PDB file of all heavy atoms in Angstrom:
ATOM      1  N   PHE A 403      59.835 216.639 132.601  1.00 62.00           N
ATOM      2  CA  PHE A 403      61.180 217.059 132.261  1.00 62.00           C
ATOM      3  C   PHE A 403      61.221 218.069 131.105  1.00 62.00           C
ATOM      4  O   PHE A 403      62.285 218.595 130.765  1.00 62.00           O
ATOM      5  CB  PHE A 403      62.027 215.848 131.831  1.00 62.00           C
ATOM      6  CG  PHE A 403      61.419 215.083 130.690  1.00 62.00           C
ATOM      7  CD1 PHE A 403      61.676 215.458 129.388  1.00 62.00           C
ATOM      8  CD2 PHE A 403      60.570 214.020 130.918  1.00 62.00           C
ATOM      9  CE1 PHE A 403      61.093 214.754 128.319  1.00 62.00           C
ATOM     10  CE2 PHE A 403      59.988 213.327 129.880  1.00 62.00           C
ATOM     11  CZ  PHE A 403      60.250 213.701 128.586  1.00 62.00           C
ATOM     12  N   GLU A 498      60.887 207.733 125.333  1.00 96.00           N
ATOM     13  CA  GLU A 498      61.541 208.076 126.594  1.00 96.00           C
ATOM     14  C   GLU A 498      61.697 206.852 127.519  1.00 96.00           C
ATOM     15  O   GLU A 498      62.773 206.614 128.038  1.00 96.00           O
ATOM     16  CB  GLU A 498      60.793 209.181 127.366  1.00 96.00           C
ATOM     17  CG  GLU A 498      60.359 210.354 126.517  1.00 96.00           C
ATOM     18  CD  GLU A 498      61.468 211.019 125.707  1.00 96.00           C
ATOM     19  OE1 GLU A 498      62.640 210.666 125.833  1.00 96.00           O
ATOM     20  OE2 GLU A 498      61.131 211.913 124.918  1.00 96.00           O
ATOM     21  N   MET A 508      57.434 210.342 134.855  1.00 95.00           N
ATOM     22  CA  MET A 508      57.697 211.395 133.859  1.00 95.00           C
ATOM     23  C   MET A 508      56.438 212.209 133.534  1.00 95.00           C
ATOM     24  O   MET A 508      56.518 213.247 132.897  1.00 95.00           O
ATOM     25  CB  MET A 508      58.229 210.797 132.583  1.00 95.00           C
ATOM     26  CG  MET A 508      59.595 210.187 132.642  1.00 95.00           C
ATOM     27  SD  MET A 508      60.063 209.545 130.990  1.00 95.00           S
ATOM     28  CE  MET A 508      61.586 208.718 131.382  1.00 95.00           C
ATOM     29  N   VAL A 539      65.269 207.706 124.107  1.00 98.00           N
ATOM     30  CA  VAL A 539      65.117 207.050 125.419  1.00 98.00           C
ATOM     31  C   VAL A 539      65.803 207.909 126.462  1.00 98.00           C
ATOM     32  O   VAL A 539      66.942 208.376 126.285  1.00 98.00           O
ATOM     33  CB  VAL A 539      65.754 205.643 125.386  1.00 98.00           C
ATOM     34  CG1 VAL A 539      65.683 205.015 126.773  1.00 98.00           C
ATOM     35  CG2 VAL A 539      65.051 204.765 124.361  1.00 98.00           C
ATOM     36  N   LEU A 540      65.089 208.121 127.575  1.00 97.00           N
ATOM     37  CA  LEU A 540      65.581 208.986 128.644  1.00 97.00           C
ATOM     38  C   LEU A 540      65.682 208.173 129.935  1.00 97.00           C
ATOM     39  O   LEU A 540      64.664 207.690 130.446  1.00 97.00           O
ATOM     40  CB  LEU A 540      64.622 210.168 128.838  1.00 97.00           C
ATOM     41  CG  LEU A 540      65.023 211.252 129.841  1.00 97.00           C
ATOM     42  CD1 LEU A 540      66.253 212.022 129.342  1.00 97.00           C
ATOM     43  CD2 LEU A 540      63.853 212.212 130.057  1.00 97.00           C
ATOM     44  N   LEU A 541      66.883 208.013 130.433  1.00 98.00           N
ATOM     45  CA  LEU A 541      67.047 207.374 131.730  1.00 98.00           C
ATOM     46  C   LEU A 541      66.681 208.402 132.779  1.00 98.00           C
ATOM     47  O   LEU A 541      67.323 209.482 132.854  1.00 98.00           O
ATOM     48  CB  LEU A 541      68.464 206.854 131.924  1.00 98.00           C
ATOM     49  CG  LEU A 541      68.978 205.873 130.858  1.00 98.00           C
ATOM     50  CD1 LEU A 541      70.321 205.279 131.288  1.00 98.00           C
ATOM     51  CD2 LEU A 541      67.957 204.776 130.564  1.00 98.00           C
ATOM     52  N   TYR A 542      65.686 208.103 133.604  1.00 97.00           N
ATOM     53  CA  TYR A 542      65.048 209.134 134.424  1.00 97.00           C
ATOM     54  C   TYR A 542      65.324 208.957 135.904  1.00 97.00           C
ATOM     55  O   TYR A 542      65.818 207.899 136.366  1.00 97.00           O
ATOM     56  CB  TYR A 542      63.536 209.080 134.163  1.00 97.00           C
ATOM     57  CG  TYR A 542      62.794 210.336 134.609  1.00 97.00           C
ATOM     58  CD1 TYR A 542      63.030 211.544 133.961  1.00 97.00           C
ATOM     59  CD2 TYR A 542      61.845 210.244 135.613  1.00 97.00           C
ATOM     60  CE1 TYR A 542      62.339 212.675 134.373  1.00 97.00           C
ATOM     61  CE2 TYR A 542      61.160 211.391 136.019  1.00 97.00           C
ATOM     62  CZ  TYR A 542      61.410 212.598 135.400  1.00 97.00           C
ATOM     63  OH  TYR A 542      60.724 213.709 135.773  1.00 97.00           O
ATOM     64  N   GLY A 570      70.124 208.781 126.785  1.00 96.00           N
ATOM     65  CA  GLY A 570      70.912 209.579 127.705  1.00 96.00           C
ATOM     66  C   GLY A 570      70.172 209.770 129.018  1.00 96.00           C
ATOM     67  O   GLY A 570      68.951 209.647 129.079  1.00 96.00           O
ATOM     68  N   VAL A 572      68.617 211.865 132.247  1.00 97.00           N
ATOM     69  CA  VAL A 572      67.954 213.160 132.363  1.00 97.00           C
ATOM     70  C   VAL A 572      68.903 214.171 132.996  1.00 97.00           C
ATOM     71  O   VAL A 572      69.793 213.825 133.806  1.00 97.00           O
ATOM     72  CB  VAL A 572      66.648 213.018 133.183  1.00 97.00           C
ATOM     73  CG1 VAL A 572      66.941 212.799 134.681  1.00 97.00           C
ATOM     74  CG2 VAL A 572      65.754 214.238 132.989  1.00 97.00           C
TER      75      VAL A 572
END
Side-chain angles (χ1 to χ4, degrees):
F403 57 87
E498 315 307 355
M508 292 182 187
V539 176
L540 185 67
L541 304 189
Y542 198 65
V572 72

